[in-house]
Amino acid sequence: MGTVLDSHFLALTAIVTVGYQLLFFVITALLKFDKVTDFAGSTNFIILAVLTLVLKGTWHFRQVVLSFLVVTWGLRLGLFLLLRILQWGEDRPVFWIFQAVWVWAVSLPVTVVNGIDRDPSVQAADIIENRGKWCNVGLWNISRHPNYFGEILLWWGIFVASTPVLEGSEWLVILGPIFLTLLLLFVSGIPLLEQSADKKFGNVAAYRVYKRTTSPLIPLPPAVYRSLPSWFKSVFLFEFPFYSRNLPEEGSTWNRTRQGGGSDGSKTG
């Protein structure tokens, strides 16, 4: 089916979201039944994902997978919140317009993907072409190791979420995220990948520029990172000297061509 109202369903999803939230607002106002606020928010994500997928009707693999993930997440969250509110007896106060904006804005990636016709797929030629190159696009443009940054955030987030139930010696569970962080920063994570990349691309001028202007872990715009003093990078951004101990001296012979350049998105290591 063709798109509705606009080419990327932006207007349609905004209207549906406002209408859906307004419906629950009326229900809670008339019946004084304030147990469905969070449920209305989580199920709204499901409606937008399914609606845009079905209306577009192209059923590309990427569209189906992203929609499935949103639906799965929404069902899990919606059921959990509904059961929690039924147990507690009432929902939290909420500004319904804010919730509508939240749902619509967060759903934008899947909404837009479901509304487009393009469906680039990974071909064998892409893998061959990318082999042996470093990545400097997407998240790798603002962090040399964004995957490790995400993993560290994940496990520290799990620890923070567990703190309300911890007592006494149970607080020793903090050793988990601490161990992971130290492991990635000093042992088997960043050091090994930096060593491998330096040996492969250390004589490539473009790689040396990338490494000098890109944060090792915490995402930052290159323009910001390159302007910071070295001591600040070492203390607060984990740019430790041993990350570059395998980098050839600048006096050695450089390959100033784009050999090994990673603008196509392949990671090193």
Side-chain angles (χ1 to χ4, degrees):
M1 296 180 63
T3 54
V4 177
L5 294 184
D6 61 321
S7 61
H8 292 89
F9 297 121
L10 300 183
L12 174 66
T13 52
I15 293 172
V16 170
T17 300
V18 172
Y20 190 68
Q21 296 303 316
L22 181 61
L23 172 64
F24 277 93
F25 170 75
V26 172
I27 292 175
T28 57
L30 293 179
L31 302 181
K32 301 187 183 302
F33 182 78
D34 195 14
K35 294 185 178 181
V36 292
T37 303
D38 284 331
F39 179 78
S42 57
T43 54
N44 203 156
F45 284 97
I46 299 174
I47 292 175
L48 297 187
V50 174
L51 179 65
T52 54
L53 178 67
V54 173
L55 286 178
K56 184 63 177 178
T58 49
W59 304 98
H60 294 316
F61 177 75
R62 183 178 285 99
Q63 295 171 336
V64 173
V65 169
L66 292 181
S67 298
F68 173 77
L69 292 175
V70 172
V71 169
T72 302
W73 172 82
L75 288 174
R76 182 204 65 81
L77 180 63
L79 180 61
F80 166 76
L81 293 175
L82 182 61
L83 293 177
R84 186 185 68 176
I85 295 307
L86 291 177
Q87 180 180 4
W88 286 4
E90 64 178 1
D91 207 345
R92 56 178 175 79
V94 67
F95 293 102
W96 289 89
I97 293 299
F98 174 79
Q99 179 155 284
V101 173
W102 166 63
V103 172
W104 183 83
V106 174
S107 295
L108 281 175
V110 70
T111 297
V112 172
V113 168
N114 283 351
I116 61 180
D117 296 312
R118 298 184 303 277
D119 186 40
S121 58
V122 177
Q123 305 292 333
D126 297 326
I127 300 175
I128 295 173
E129 181 183 357
N130 292 338
R131 185 176 300 161
K133 299 178 181 180
W134 77 88
C135 180
N136 60 359
V137 297
L139 291 176
W140 277 263
N141 184 51
I142 56 178
S143 170
R144 301 204 300 271
H145 304 281
N147 51 327
Y148 289 151
F149 177 72
E151 186 170 355
I152 291 172
L153 278 186
L154 169 67
W155 288 106
W156 277 104
I158 291 174
F159 165 72
V160 171
S162 70
T163 55
V165 300
L166 300 180
E167 294 181 353
S169 61
E170 295 172 344
W171 281 90
L172 289 175
V173 299
I174 195 176
L175 294 176
I178 289 177
F179 176 79
L180 173 75
T181 302
L182 295 178
L183 184 69
L184 294 181
L185 287 178
F186 299 104
V187 185
S188 66
I190 295 178
L192 291 184
L193 288 185
E194 291 286 312
Q195 177 182 355
S196 175
D198 286 354
K199 288 182 178 179
K200 292 179 181 178
F201 312 115
N203 288 321
V204 181
Y207 169 78
R208 299 177 74 99
V209 172
Y210 168 74
K211 183 164 185 173
R212 186 170 62 249
T213 59
T214 308
S215 172
L217 184 68
I218 300 174
L220 279 177
V224 174
Y225 184 76
R226 72 165 63 98
S227 65
L228 297 173
S230 298
W231 67 265
F232 187 93
K233 296 177 182 178
S234 298
V235 174
F236 297 105
L237 300 177
F238 310 108
E239 186 67 272
F240 302 121
F242 64 87
Y243 286 169
S244 299
R245 63 188 174 191
N246 294 288
L247 195 65
E249 296 289 337
E250 289 195 17
S252 60
T253 303
W254 285 13
N255 179 355
R256 294 184 179 274
T257 68
R258 191 179 168 276
Q259 174 186 349
S263 61
D264 42 29
S266 297
K267 291 183 289 185
T268 58

Coordinates of all heavy atoms in Angstrom, one line a residue, residues 4 29 31 33 37 43 45 91 97-98 143 181 196 204 207 215 233 236 248 257-258 262 267:
V4 N 0.6 7.1 3.7 CA -0.6 7.8 4.1 C -0.2 9.2 4.6 O 0.7 9.3 5.5 CB -1.4 7.1 5.1 CG1 -2.6 7.9 5.6 CG2 -1.8 5.7 4.6
A29 N -10.1 10.4 32.9 CA -10.8 11.5 33.4 C -12.3 11.2 33.8 O -12.8 11.6 34.8 CB -10.8 12.7 32.5
L31 N -13.8 8.1 34.1 CA -14.0 7.0 35.0 C -13.1 7.1 36.3 O -13.3 6.2 37.2 CB -13.6 5.7 34.3 CG -14.4 5.4 33.0 CD1 -14.0 4.0 32.5 CD2 -15.9 5.4 33.3
F33 N -10.2 6.4 36.7 CA -9.5 5.1 36.7 C -8.1 5.3 36.2 O -7.8 5.1 35.0 CB -10.2 4.1 35.8 CG -9.7 2.7 35.8 CD1 -9.9 1.9 36.8 CD2 -8.9 2.3 34.7 CE1 -9.4 0.6 36.8 CE2 -8.4 1.0 34.7 CZ -8.6 0.2 35.7
T37 N -2.0 4.6 32.5 CA -1.1 5.7 31.8 C 0.1 5.0 31.2 O 0.3 5.3 30.0 CB -0.7 6.7 32.9 OG1 -1.8 7.3 33.5 CG2 0.2 7.8 32.2
T43 N 1.9 0.5 24.8 CA 1.2 -0.1 23.7 C 1.1 0.9 22.4 O 0.9 0.4 21.3 CB -0.3 -0.4 24.1 OG1 -0.9 0.7 24.7 CG2 -0.2 -1.5 25.1
F45 N 3.6 2.4 21.2 CA 4.8 2.0 20.4 C 4.4 0.8 19.4 O 4.8 0.8 18.3 CB 5.9 1.6 21.2 CG 6.6 2.7 21.9 CD1 6.3 3.1 23.2 CD2 7.6 3.5 21.2 CE1 7.0 4.2 23.8 CE2 8.3 4.5 21.8 CZ 8.0 4.9 23.1
D91 N -1.6 4.7 39.0 CA -0.5 5.0 38.2 C 0.1 6.3 38.6 O -0.5 7.0 39.4 CB -1.0 5.1 36.7 CG 0.1 4.7 35.8 OD1 1.3 4.7 36.2 OD2 -0.1 4.5 34.6
I97 N 0.3 15.0 27.0 CA 1.0 15.6 25.8 C 2.4 15.2 25.8 O 3.0 14.8 24.7 CB 0.8 17.1 25.7 CG1 -0.7 17.4 25.5 CG2 1.6 17.7 24.6 CD1 -1.3 16.9 24.2
F98 N 3.1 15.3 26.9 CA 4.5 14.9 27.0 C 4.6 13.4 26.6 O 5.6 13.0 25.9 CB 5.0 15.1 28.4 CG 6.4 14.6 28.6 CD1 7.5 15.3 28.2 CD2 6.6 13.4 29.2 CE1 8.8 14.9 28.3 CE2 7.9 12.9 29.4 CZ 9.0 13.7 29.0
S143 N 33.7 7.7 18.6 CA 34.4 6.9 19.6 C 35.1 5.8 18.9 O 34.5 5.1 17.9 CB 33.3 6.3 20.6 OG 33.9 5.3 21.4
T181 N 34.7 -3.2 33.6 CA 35.3 -1.9 33.2 C 36.9 -2.0 33.1 O 37.5 -1.6 32.1 CB 34.9 -0.7 34.1 OG1 33.5 -0.7 34.1 CG2 35.5 0.6 33.6
S196 N 46.2 -4.2 17.7 CA 46.0 -4.8 16.4 C 45.9 -3.7 15.3 O 46.5 -3.8 14.2 CB 44.8 -5.7 16.4 OG 44.5 -6.2 15.1
V204 N 49.7 4.4 8.1 CA 48.7 5.1 7.2 C 48.4 6.5 7.9 O 47.9 6.5 9.0 CB 47.4 4.3 7.0 CG1 46.4 5.0 6.1 CG2 47.8 2.9 6.5
Y207 N 44.8 7.0 9.2 CA 44.5 6.3 10.5 C 45.1 7.1 11.7 O 44.4 7.2 12.7 CB 45.1 4.9 10.4 CG 45.0 4.2 11.8 CD1 43.8 3.7 12.2 CD2 46.2 4.1 12.6 CE1 43.8 3.0 13.5 CE2 46.1 3.5 13.8 CZ 45.0 3.0 14.3 OH 44.9 2.4 15.5
S215 N 37.9 10.1 20.3 CA 37.9 9.6 21.6 C 38.0 8.1 21.7 O 37.4 7.4 20.9 CB 36.7 10.0 22.4 OG 36.6 9.4 23.7
K233 N 42.4 14.4 28.4 CA 42.1 13.1 27.7 C 42.5 11.9 28.5 O 41.7 10.9 28.6 CB 42.7 13.1 26.4 CG 42.3 14.2 25.4 CD 43.0 14.1 24.1 CE 42.6 15.2 23.1 NZ 43.4 15.2 21.9
F236 N 40.2 11.9 32.2 CA 38.7 11.8 32.1 C 38.2 11.0 30.9 O 37.0 10.6 30.9 CB 38.1 13.3 32.1 CG 38.4 14.1 33.3 CD1 39.3 15.1 33.3 CD2 37.8 13.8 34.5 CE1 39.6 15.8 34.4 CE2 38.0 14.5 35.6 CZ 38.9 15.5 35.6
P248 N 53.8 3.3 15.2 CA 55.1 3.6 14.7 C 55.4 5.1 14.9 O 54.5 5.9 14.9 CB 55.0 3.2 13.2 CG 53.9 2.3 13.1 CD 52.9 2.7 14.1
T257 N 48.4 7.4 1.3 CA 47.1 7.1 0.5 C 46.0 6.7 1.5 O 46.2 6.6 2.7 CB 47.4 6.1 -0.5 OG1 47.6 4.8 0.1 CG2 48.6 6.4 -1.4
R258 N 44.9 6.4 0.9 CA 43.7 6.1 1.7 C 43.7 4.5 2.0 O 42.7 4.0 2.3 CB 42.4 6.5 1.1 CG 41.2 6.4 1.9 CD 40.0 7.0 1.2 NE 38.8 6.6 1.8 CZ 38.2 5.5 1.7 NH1 38.7 4.5 1.0 NH2 37.0 5.2 2.4
G262 N 38.5 3.5 6.4 CA 37.3 2.8 6.8 C 36.0 3.5 6.6 O 35.1 3.4 7.4
K267 N 34.9 -2.6 11.1 CA 35.7 -2.4 12.3 C 37.0 -3.1 12.1 O 37.2 -4.0 11.3 CB 34.9 -3.0 13.5 CG 33.7 -2.3 13.9 CD 33.1 -2.9 15.1 CE 32.4 -4.2 14.8 NZ 31.7 -4.8 16.0

